[in-house]
Amino acid sequence: IAYASMKSLSRTLIGAYKSAYLPPSKIVKMSSTSSSIVENMRSDGRPSQKLSSVLETIGKTPMIQLNKLSPAGVNVYVKCEAFNPMGSVKDRLALGCIEWAEKQGHLKPGQTVVECSSGNTGIGLAMVCNVKGYPFVCVMAESFSIERRKLMRFLGAKVVLTNPAHKVCLVHNYSENTRYRAHYCLQGTGMVIKTEELAEKHGWYWPNQFDNEANAYVHEMTTGPEILEALGGDKLDHLFVAYGTGGTLNGVSKVIKERSPSTKIHVVEPDNAPMLFSEIKTEYPSGEGELATFKDPHPIWRPHLLQGWAPDWIPSLVSKASSRIDTVAHVGGDEAMATSKALAQQEGIFTGTSGGGILAAALNFAKTGQAKGKTIVAILPDTGERYLSTPLFDGIGADMTEEEKAIADSTPSAAPPAVPLPSPTEESDAFVKDSIASKKVVIFSLQYCEFCWTITQFFNKIGVSYTAINIDSFEYAKRNMGNKYRASLTDLTDCNTFPQCFINGVFLGGAVDACMKWKKGELQPMFKKADISFDESYEGDPFEFLPKWMTQNPLRSK
């Protein structure tokens, strides 16, 4: 992509950063005055923003000073990219690549966008494409965290999963639909080859984040200037950044070396995949109409815990920034996760394993004599919520610890007062009795009760037809009829919890009762006696439908 063509972005959202949408990027530090942070929020002169779309909230993320983890005499700041609307630095990439494609005519109105991603780029693209009206399909390896694919689907994107064991390279060849074919082998997966297949077959647009110069340009225009702007006139001595696609490294290092030549750029990579350290370069074929790709996977790469870092080649955007790299630092997955946890528990800043890795390298350097009196900035790429199903949260249990149980037991845990029920009436008694008598299976339930959902989901699974009567629904609110029905049920069953299920006029009980009776083989004869059809081949455990937070659920941890 010619540099001149990138300048066309100056009329887009990206180009408007300097004059429009958000207040200046700023350093956030603990105040030494008596005024509180809440008082400062009211009086610091920043107006609340009225924006035309969520895309205008991308960027201008804060730099926060560390007060507990930073060694004395060293100023350590973290650039928190989790403050972007979708929680990661990749929101910038997504907006930059899509706006560039629009300007260059590569992306037509309503055309589907397809991209392979470990998650953050996909989430950012799902947001941007949603706002701009492009369908989006993300291809990702099944090994990446589950919450990432759920977030994309929640945003309306389609997610295609690939086998994480696939390790296949593509033939290098120009294509009019995709603009280029990649020659990738991404972290032991076939997700790039699947992306190219889909783009080729369906005529979808593939941004190719690993080689797209718009990826670097957006950071040159936004992230890098924001760091210098936040520091004001203070000198930036050291910057720590990792590389995945290389866009952040390339764009940020370019503008910082131009404006602050003495700043040292430290690039962090996994200690078990030290590709830059090895000095073994990636070779890139080239051809007319193509962006740089690579010939072979890197021989030093190994699987690592730092999602989004270091694919198994050195992306061309990284190689193009190599002259601006002063040092290469290394960190392991365990140290990265420990630092992420320490940052959360000591500074209240929530970042993922990748952010923990970058900060670990920065803090290790901060402890050396070279850092005394210096200012260090570490870029934290995303939020820790992207990692809930990963090893980062191993050991963070759902159940109370012994210490937490002791705290809970230190007071009586008095039950809240019961909701007073009206007296049953002839009308409410007749309604309950008629409903039970006229239907083979009737479930009296509450509309948003998870235990009520348990029995209905279980019956749906085994194909049992039933009538559900939600006594707290809108239709029963007038004259307090819902609670009158509840009073009539309590008189009838001597039970005040829900759901309450009746089969052929016989009170079965609630959700747990239904699950237990099925497991004991007692529910099946009740269905047969009442001539109720059901799926006798069901071999699952009905407790799978109980809430997972329920301590008594035997499948709680599964």
Side-chain angles (χ1 to χ4, degrees):
I1 303 170
Y3 182 82
S5 70
M6 298 306 301
K7 290 184 177 179
S8 65
L9 286 174
S10 64
R11 294 184 297 278
T12 66
L13 285 173
I14 295 167
Y17 268 57
K18 295 180 180 178
S19 59
Y21 304 106
L22 294 172
S25 184
K26 64 184 293 183
I27 288 177
V28 181
K29 46 173 87 173
M30 294 297 291
S31 173
S32 59
T33 68
S34 59
S35 63
S36 70
I37 291 176
V38 172
E39 290 170 340
N40 288 335
M41 287 169 59
R42 185 185 62 186
S43 62
D44 70 357
R46 288 184 298 162
S48 292
Q49 298 291 300
K50 185 173 71 174
L51 307 175
S52 62
S53 87
V54 70
L55 302 184
E56 295 174 12
T57 68
I58 296 173
K60 298 294 185 183
T61 55
M63 285 208 325
I64 303 173
Q65 184 174 26
L66 301 188
N67 298 287
K68 297 178 181 177
L69 293 180
S70 177
V74 183
N75 297 315
V76 179
Y77 297 94
V78 289
K79 175 77 166 161
C80 293
E81 290 299 297
F83 282 72
N84 282 301
M86 288 296 108
S88 91
V89 68
K90 298 297 188 178
D91 292 356
R92 300 175 188 261
L93 176 162
L95 181 59
C97 289
I98 293 301
E99 288 200 334
W100 177 83
E102 290 174 330
K103 288 291 182 181
Q104 297 303 307
H106 297 325
L107 183 55
K108 306 299 188 295
Q111 186 178 7
T112 296
V113 175
V114 62
E115 181 61 282
C116 55
S117 169
S118 63
N120 282 333
T121 296
I123 293 165
L125 281 169
M127 170 190 64
V128 173
C129 290
N130 186 324
V131 173
K132 287 178 168 285
Y134 304 110
F136 175 61
V137 176
C138 181
V139 181
M140 70 184 297
E142 194 174 5
S143 55
F144 293 122
S145 63
I146 292 171
E147 48 270 24
R148 299 179 185 218
R149 66 181 84 155
K150 286 188 173 183
L151 278 168
M152 282 184 275
R153 287 172 175 146
F154 192 85
L155 286 163
K158 300 291 188 294
V159 181
V160 175
L161 300 177
T162 62
N163 187 338
H166 287 175
K167 196 173 182 72
V168 182
C169 288
L170 299 180
V171 176
H172 184 80
N173 186 29
Y174 178 72
S175 163
E176 184 60 35
N177 285 333
T178 63
R179 314 304 302 176
Y180 43 81
R181 283 192 182 185
H183 194 113
Y184 287 161
C185 180
L186 179 59
Q187 301 194 77
T189 77
M191 67 187 196
V192 179
I193 191 171
K194 174 57 73 173
T195 303
E196 195 234 6
E197 289 174 350
L198 292 171
E200 189 72 20
K201 178 175 177 60
H202 301 290
W204 294 345
Y205 175 70
W206 180 16
N208 188 0
Q209 57 174 319
F210 293 98
D211 288 325
N212 195 328
E213 293 284 351
N215 179 3
Y217 185 77
V218 70
H219 293 290
E220 181 187 347
M221 289 287 291
T222 65
T223 318
E226 287 172 23
I227 292 171
L228 298 175
E229 178 186 70
L231 288 169
D234 295 342
K235 181 183 177 184
L236 172 60
D237 298 296
H238 301 276
L239 176 73
F240 282 78
V241 61
Y243 68 91
T245 64
T248 306
L249 164 64
N250 188 306
V252 171
S253 67
K254 182 176 181 180
V255 71
I256 285 181
K257 283 295 188 181
E258 288 174 353
R259 301 186 190 181
S260 179
S262 64
T263 298
K264 302 298 182 185
I265 305 294
H266 304 258
V267 177
V268 191
E269 62 180 358
D271 62 4
N272 67 326
M275 294 181 289
L276 294 178
F277 173 78
S278 74
E279 299 183 352
I280 301 173
K281 299 183 182 299
T282 293
E283 294 185 40
Y284 309 99
S286 61
E288 183 179 352
E290 298 170 338
L291 299 182
T293 55
F294 73 92
K295 289 184 177 180
D296 298 301
H298 202 283
I300 299 299
W301 186 88
R302 298 293 181 272
H304 53 79
L305 290 177
L306 295 137
Q307 287 193 34
W309 280 27
D312 64 352
W313 77 99
I314 299 172
S316 62
L317 293 176
V318 176
S319 293
K320 291 174 182 178
S322 60
S323 63
R324 300 190 289 272
I325 297 172
D326 293 290
T327 65
V328 178
H330 296 90
V331 67
D334 291 341
E335 185 180 12
M337 292 187 292
T339 304
S340 174
K341 187 174 181 180
L343 182 66
Q345 297 185 354
Q346 296 185 49
E347 302 279 357
I349 298 171
F350 195 32
T351 191
T353 307
S354 57
I358 296 168
L359 182 58
L363 291 176
N364 288 338
F365 178 80
K367 296 170 185 175
T368 69
Q370 304 174 64
K372 199 69 174 177
K374 303 297 185 182
T375 295
I376 298 171
V377 172
I379 299 177
L380 308 186
D382 63 4
T383 170
E385 289 185 359
R386 297 285 192 272
Y387 301 82
L388 296 175
S389 63
T390 74
L392 180 60
F393 278 79
D394 283 355
I396 307 296
D399 295 325
M400 286 193 291
T401 64
E402 292 304 316
E403 182 180 5
E404 290 165 340
K405 289 177 183 177
I407 294 171
D409 292 341
S410 66
T411 63
S413 297
V419 176
L421 291 179
S423 299
T425 64
E426 289 185 6
E427 180 185 2
S428 65
D429 286 344
F431 176 84
V432 168
K433 290 177 182 177
D434 288 348
S435 298
I436 294 170
S438 62
K439 300 170 178 64
K440 284 191 174 183
V441 180
V442 61
I443 301 170
F444 292 93
S445 58
L446 303 177
Q447 202 162 9
Y448 297 110
C449 164
E450 289 182 272
F451 296 97
C452 300
W453 296 345
T454 294
I455 195 168
T456 56
Q457 288 173 354
F458 173 43
F459 281 6
N460 289 339
K461 183 69 174 180
I462 60 176
V464 170
S465 298
Y466 60 86
T467 298
I469 299 175
N470 295 316
I471 62 169
D472 62 340
S473 64
F474 177 81
E475 63 180 306
Y476 301 131
K478 186 170 286 190
R479 296 170 44 227
N480 204 19
M481 288 308 300
N483 279 327
K484 291 176 183 178
Y485 298 152
R486 186 171 189 167
S488 295
L489 277 168
T490 300
D491 275 3
L492 182 65
T493 63
D494 198 28
C495 176
N496 57 13
T497 60
F498 286 86
Q500 295 188 29
C501 178
F502 294 82
I503 296 178
N504 210 26
V506 177
F507 181 48
L508 170 67
V512 173
D513 299 299
C515 294
M516 290 299 299
K517 289 181 183 294
W518 177 273
K519 289 175 71 72
K520 292 179 179 179
E522 298 173 0
L523 182 57
Q524 295 87 328
M526 292 180 68
F527 286 145
K528 290 180 179 179
K529 184 177 180 180
D531 196 25
I532 297 168
S533 61
F534 65 98
D535 182 4
E536 298 185 51
S537 66
Y538 173 69
E539 297 180 353
D541 190 331
F543 282 110
E544 67 177 296
F545 303 105
L546 279 172
K548 292 295 187 290
W549 53 258
M550 181 181 173
T551 306
Q552 295 83 0
N553 185 353
L555 302 182
R556 176 181 175 82
S557 62
K558 296 184 179 180

